[in-house]
C-alpha cells in the first residue's frame, strides 16, 4: 500500500532523513520506532506532504505522492494524527468530528459518529462538551476519531501513547486493533516499545535519520542488542 524509497529531507541546511526506505502492506500495522529526534515525525510529515522531501519516492497504492500538497494526499486516502493533537478547543466534540467528515470511499470502511462513539465511549458521553475541556487522553481520542471521519485507507499516528494515562494507553491499543479489523492500515510512530508490540505486525527502527532495522518483532526480540543500541534512553 505504501512504499517509501531513498527519502531525503532537510530543514534548511540540516540533513534530517538520509535515504529512508520501508513499505507497508494493506491492513498492516507497522511501528516506526526511535528515540526523540531520530526522525520519526519528519518521516511522517514527509509522507503527508507537510514537509517537502528533497529527493526520494513515496508511493501510495502505486501512485507517486512525494512532494504533493497535503490536501491532495489527504484526498487520496491518507489520514494524519499529529503528535500535538490540535483539536479545535472552542468547538464541541460533535463539531470537531464534523470538521473531519469526508464522503465514503469505495472499498473502504465508512466511519459514522455513532460508530466512533462506540469505539470511543468517553467521547460519546462528552459529545456536546468543548474539546478544550477534555483530558489529554480524550483529546488524543478525538483527534483519531476526527481523522477516521475522513474514511482513510492509511492512517499515520504520531506518538499516540505519549503523555496519556496507562489506562488510556490500553484503550488506545484496542482502538488501533479495531481499526485494523476494519481494514485501516496504520503507520505508528512510537517510543513506547511495549505499546508498539501490543498492536504492530512489524517494526522499523530509525536513528539519526537512517533506518537501522526493519522486520517482525520476533526478529527484534532475537537481537536485543539492536533495541539496546537504538531505543534505550
Amino acid at each position: 500500500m505504501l512504499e517509501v524509497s531513498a527519502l531525503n529531507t532537510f530543514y534548511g541546511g540540516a540533513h534530517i532523513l538520509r535515504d529512508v526506505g520501508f513499505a507497508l502492506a494493506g491492513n498492516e500495522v507497522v511501528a516506526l520506532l526511535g528515540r526523540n529526534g531520530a526522525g520519526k515525525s519528519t518521516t511522517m510529515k514527509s509522507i503527508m506532504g507537510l514537509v517537502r522531501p528533497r529527493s526520494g519516492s513515496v508511493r501510495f497504492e502505486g501512485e507517486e505522492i512525494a512532494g504533493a500538497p497535503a490536501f491532495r494526499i489527504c484526498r487520496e486516502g491518507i489520514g494524519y494524527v499529529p503528535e500535538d493533537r490540535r483539536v479545535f478547543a472552542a468547538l464541541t466534540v460533535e463539531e470537531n468530528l464534523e470538521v473531519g467528515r469526508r464522503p465514503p470511499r469505495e472499498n473502504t470502511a465508512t466511519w459514522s459518529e455513532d460508530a466512533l462513539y462506540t469505539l470511543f465511549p468517553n467521547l460519546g458521553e462528552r459529545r456536546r462538551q468543548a474539546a478544550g475541556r477534555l483530558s489529554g487522553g480524550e483529546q488524543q481520542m478525538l483527534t483519531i476519531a476526527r481523522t477516521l471521519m475522513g474514511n482513510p485507507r492509511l492512517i499515520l499516528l504520531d506518538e499516540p501513547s505519549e503523555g496519556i494515562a496507562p489506562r488510556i494507553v490500553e484503550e488506545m491499543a484496542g482502538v488501533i486493533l479495531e481499526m485494523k479489523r476494519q481494514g485501516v492500515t496504520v503507520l505508528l510512530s512510537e517510543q513506547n516499545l511495549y505499546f508498539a508490540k501490543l498492536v504492530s505486525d512489524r517494526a522499523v527502527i530509525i536513528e539519526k535519520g537512517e533506518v537501522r532495522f526493519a522486520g517482525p518483532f520476533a526478529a527484534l526480540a532475537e537481537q536485543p542488542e539492536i533495541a539496546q543500541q537504538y531505543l534505550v534512553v
Side-chain angles (χ1 to χ4, degrees):
M1 175 173 278
L2 181 75
E3 184 176 4
V4 178
S5 304
L7 201 63
N8 287 272
T9 300
F10 290 70
Y11 288 140
H15 194 172
I16 306 301
L17 301 184
R18 300 172 180 270
D19 292 325
V20 166
F22 57 88
L24 278 75
N27 199 30
E28 185 178 36
V29 180
V30 172
L32 185 61
L33 303 173
R35 300 185 182 101
N36 269 337
K40 303 187 303 297
S41 292
T42 301
T43 300
M44 293 211 162
K45 290 176 180 177
S46 298
I47 294 168
M48 196 64 209
L50 298 170
V51 176
R52 188 180 182 89
R54 188 169 296 183
S55 64
S57 172
V58 180
R59 299 185 70 83
F60 177 60
E61 297 186 324
E63 180 180 354
E64 183 61 58
I65 60 171
F71 74 86
R72 184 195 135 197
I73 293 172
C74 176
R75 288 176 182 172
E76 293 295 325
I78 301 181
Y80 172 61
V81 179
E83 181 181 2
D84 52 1
R85 299 168 188 147
R86 299 187 187 180
V87 298
F88 295 99
L91 301 183
T92 66
V93 167
E94 288 180 325
E95 290 166 339
N96 268 271
L97 293 182
E98 189 62 32
V99 168
R101 184 188 297 276
R102 291 194 60 80
R105 301 178 192 274
E106 188 175 354
N107 301 319
T108 304
T110 299
W111 297 85
S112 66
E113 291 97 329
D114 288 343
L116 290 168
Y117 291 148
T118 299
L119 189 60
F120 300 100
N122 286 17
L123 299 183
E125 295 168 3
R126 294 163 175 77
R127 65 183 70 188
R128 294 182 178 85
Q129 184 171 318
R133 295 175 56 198
L134 301 177
S135 70
E138 290 166 344
Q139 288 185 2
Q140 183 68 284
M141 291 177 180
L142 178 55
T143 311
I144 295 173
R146 185 180 64 195
T147 303
L148 288 173
M149 281 292 286
N151 305 315
R153 289 190 287 275
L154 167 66
I155 191 166
L156 312 179
L157 293 179
D158 197 357
E159 302 278 6
S161 74
E162 185 177 23
I164 60 176
R167 177 181 61 84
I168 303 296
V169 170
E170 297 289 340
E171 290 181 21
M172 196 72 68
V175 165
I176 292 171
L177 292 174
E178 179 59 27
M179 287 162 52
K180 181 183 178 182
R181 282 191 287 270
Q182 294 289 338
V184 180
T185 303
V186 180
L187 177 62
L188 170 76
S189 165
E190 263 300 332
Q191 292 186 70
N192 185 330
L193 185 58
Y194 168 74
F195 177 75
K197 285 179 179 178
L198 285 178
V199 300
S200 305
D201 300 296
R202 294 187 293 113
V204 175
I205 297 177
I206 188 169
E207 170 68 13
K208 295 182 179 178
E210 298 184 36
V211 172
R212 306 293 188 175
F213 171 88
F217 274 96
L220 186 58
E222 293 170 358
Q223 303 173 72
E225 68 279 3
I226 293 178
Q228 183 69 30
Q229 182 174 0
Y230 298 121
L231 299 179
V232 175
V233 177

